[in-house]
Amino acid sequence: MSQFQPLIIGAGVAGLALAVGWQQAHGAAPFLCERAVAPGCQGLGFLLLPRGRRALQALGVDPCKELGGHPIDHARLVTLAGKTIAVHRFHAGTMALELPRLLAVLRQKLDAAKLLVGWPFEGLCHSQGRVEAVRFGGGRQMPADLVFGADGAASRCRRALLDRRNDQWTPGPLARVQEVVALAQDPWLAARLGSGLLKVQDPGGGLAVGLLPLSSDRLVWFVQFDTARYGRPAPGALGSFLERLLVACPAWLQQTIAASDRTARHWQPLDLDPQAKLVGPNLALLGDAAHPMLPFTSQGANLALEDAWILRDLLRDRRDPGEVTAALETYERLRLPLIRHYSLAGRSMAATFVAPGPSLGMLPVAP
């Protein structure tokens, strides 16, 4: 497919993974255009489930040797008093990964000259129904006859695909349940967690704290909260918001969070209906641009890795525009049912989460 000029919008998990896969299949990486001057990520750690692990390995990344994956074999849900409500066993091979480390490893596998930072996507140029170029901020334009939109949940590529020209268009409504997440250096607690994810639930509903070990001395903690009940943190007041939110939690948990809340991030996911369209004749969405997930399914990064793997294989050895369009349509048919399944599962779990009483739906869904 050397005659094609592919272009990837967004250098997160999905975009980088696809670039690595494309380089494997075709010998050269496509250009990646990233809006941020210093590419980063919203997440800190995530569960790599079997589907994501298979995709990573197919893309030539060893999650143990290269990413230092920490095995996770169960999730335990407990009350504020420490009573176990439920235990969920994971499939063999599930592990916790640091998201920044994954992004760094993927970037290292690519030609650095192909990653263009500070290139905000603005729109597409079409000719006879197909994309022929991409417009960026500053009046820049780049020819491309195969475009991949991997620019996150608030995707501008999704807007372009759906032909939303209204200047008042917004990415979508914010989810009712939001998260605060941070890294903590705590050898004692990480050792106590071992190979398990722990979630501490408020029996009144709408509030939970999760602890995910990333190694023998590091962990990610996250606080999920119902904004209808607890509101949102004011700018610059995340620490005091957490202090108020967690006043009924065990002292050791409050201390763990207070010790690392300076690095905490407030994540405000979108609550969107499942996508009905992922592709055009020579345009495809992947990752969060195709399927923004609510913070319960643990599927976002895993689906993004799988998107990249599937697109790589479907587009291998495609020689003409008609074959490319057919391959993208196959990708859409394969992904839409799975996206709908996990999107609806996330909404169901969110509804259960905000209701009073033990919420078993707070545990990650099966891979």
Side-chain angles (χ1 to χ4, degrees), residues 178-182 221-223 225 238 241-242 264-267:
Q178 299 179 8
E179 284 192 354
V180 176
V181 59
W221 57 257
F222 55 94
V223 179
F225 59 96
L238 196 53
F241 176 78
L242 288 171
R265 303 178 186 181
H266 178 201
W267 180 33

Side-chain angles (χ1 to χ4, degrees), residues 3 16 20 42-43 67 99 101 136 141 167 182 184 193 205 222 227 237 263 273 282 285-286 317 357:
Q3 73 270 32
L16 287 168
V20 169
Q42 283 200 324
L67 301 176
L99 190 52
R101 184 168 179 176
F136 297 95
Q141 186 167 300
D167 290 339
L193 292 169
F222 55 94
T227 58
T263 66
D273 293 331
N282 61 336
L285 303 178
L286 66 156
D317 299 326

Side-chain angles (χ1 to χ4, degrees), residues 48 127 131 153 273 334 339:
L48 183 68
S127 176
V131 177
D273 293 331
L334 289 173
I339 291 169

Side-chain angles (χ1 to χ4, degrees), residues 268-329:
Q268 303 181 75
L270 300 177
D271 185 4
L272 301 179
D273 293 331
Q275 285 291 109
K277 186 176 181 61
L278 301 181
V279 305
N282 61 336
L283 168 67
L285 303 178
L286 66 156
D288 286 349
H291 43 73
M293 292 286 159
L294 294 177
F296 293 99
T297 63
S298 297
Q299 291 292 338
N302 291 277
L303 289 174
L305 292 167
E306 196 175 50
D307 291 342
W309 175 27
I310 289 172
L311 280 169
R312 181 202 67 178
D313 286 354
L314 286 173
L315 290 167
R316 193 192 299 269
D317 299 326
R318 301 298 178 180
R319 300 295 180 186
D320 62 61
E323 289 181 329
V324 169
T325 298
L328 296 182
E329 290 172 349

Side-chain angles (χ1 to χ4, degrees), residues 182-186 188-190 193 209-211 219-222 242 246 250-263:
L183 280 172
Q185 190 81 20
D186 192 328
W188 178 85
L189 183 53
L193 292 169
V209 181
L211 302 167
L219 59 97
V220 165
W221 57 257
F222 55 94
L242 288 171
L246 305 177
W252 65 267
L253 189 53
Q254 294 184 51
Q255 291 165 6
T256 295
I257 290 174
S260 52
D261 65 9
R262 289 184 299 278
T263 66

